[in-house]
């Protein structure tokens, strides 16, 4: 149940980020839009915080995730550290898609980890 809840939170935040950035052509467009950037960073904070709470076993099963990247982003977003443009863009263009793909693949290979009764 716990893994499923984490999975759903991360997937929903990732989906929201995808929708918020879908029409954007490049990095400049995102950073020129303060409201969209704020919404994207709020979803990134949710993802980073949630991923920071995965169990050690799940962490090990997702060894390809850039855990250091997520931790650095989480720290900057949580503390409001500026500038964080590089970390935010890296998250949107690499961390989010990679992490979502790895989570989907793990759930496909080991569905029992994500069942409600587990």
């Amino acid at each position: 149940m716990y893994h499923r809840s984490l999975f759903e939170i991360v997937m929903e935040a990732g989906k929201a980020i995808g929708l918020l950035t879908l029409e954007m052509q490049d990095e400049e467009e995102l950073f020129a839009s303060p409201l969209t950037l704020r919404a994207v960073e709020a979803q990134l904070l949710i993802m980073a915080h949630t991923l920071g709470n995965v169990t050690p076993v799940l962490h090990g099963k997702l060894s390809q995730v850039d855990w250091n990247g997520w931790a650095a982003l989480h720290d900057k977003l949580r503390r409001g550290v500026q500038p964080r443009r590089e970390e935010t863009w890296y998250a949107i263009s690499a961390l989010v898609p990679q992490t979502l793909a790895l989570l989907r693949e793990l759930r496909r290979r080991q569905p029992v980890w994500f069942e409600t009764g587990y």
Side-chain angles (χ1 to χ4, degrees):
M1 177 95 168
Y2 183 69
H3 293 141
R4 181 181 179 148
S5 296
L6 293 176
F7 175 85
E8 289 176 4
I9 292 167
V10 169
M11 289 298 173
E12 284 298 315
K15 180 180 175 182
I17 291 167
L19 290 172
L20 286 164
T21 59
L22 182 66
E23 301 287 323
M24 298 199 167
Q25 301 298 316
D26 59 20
E27 177 180 356
E28 296 303 320
E29 194 172 347
L30 173 65
F31 291 97
S33 175
L35 292 177
T36 302
L37 178 60
R38 191 173 320 135
V40 166
E41 286 185 334
Q43 294 302 312
L44 287 171
L45 181 58
I46 291 168
M47 284 186 79
H49 183 77
T50 303
L51 290 166
N53 288 299
V54 300
T55 63
V57 174
L58 190 58
H59 190 281
K61 290 193 175 290
L62 294 167
S63 61
Q64 294 174 315
V65 168
D66 180 358
W67 294 108
N68 291 331
W70 278 113
L73 177 68
H74 186 224
D75 184 57
K76 283 199 168 187
L77 289 171
R78 187 174 37 104
R79 293 187 309 122
V81 174
Q82 293 287 352
R84 58 177 175 251
R85 181 179 177 134
E86 187 176 310
E87 292 85 354
T88 300
W89 187 250
Y90 172 62
I92 292 165
S93 60
L95 282 178
V96 171
Q98 177 209 40
T99 303
L100 295 179
L102 291 169
L103 273 168
R104 281 188 200 105
E105 178 60 21
L106 179 61
R107 186 173 185 188
R108 186 190 65 73
R109 282 182 313 170
Q110 297 183 357
V112 71
W113 278 76
F114 301 95
E115 291 178 357
T116 27
Y118 187 81

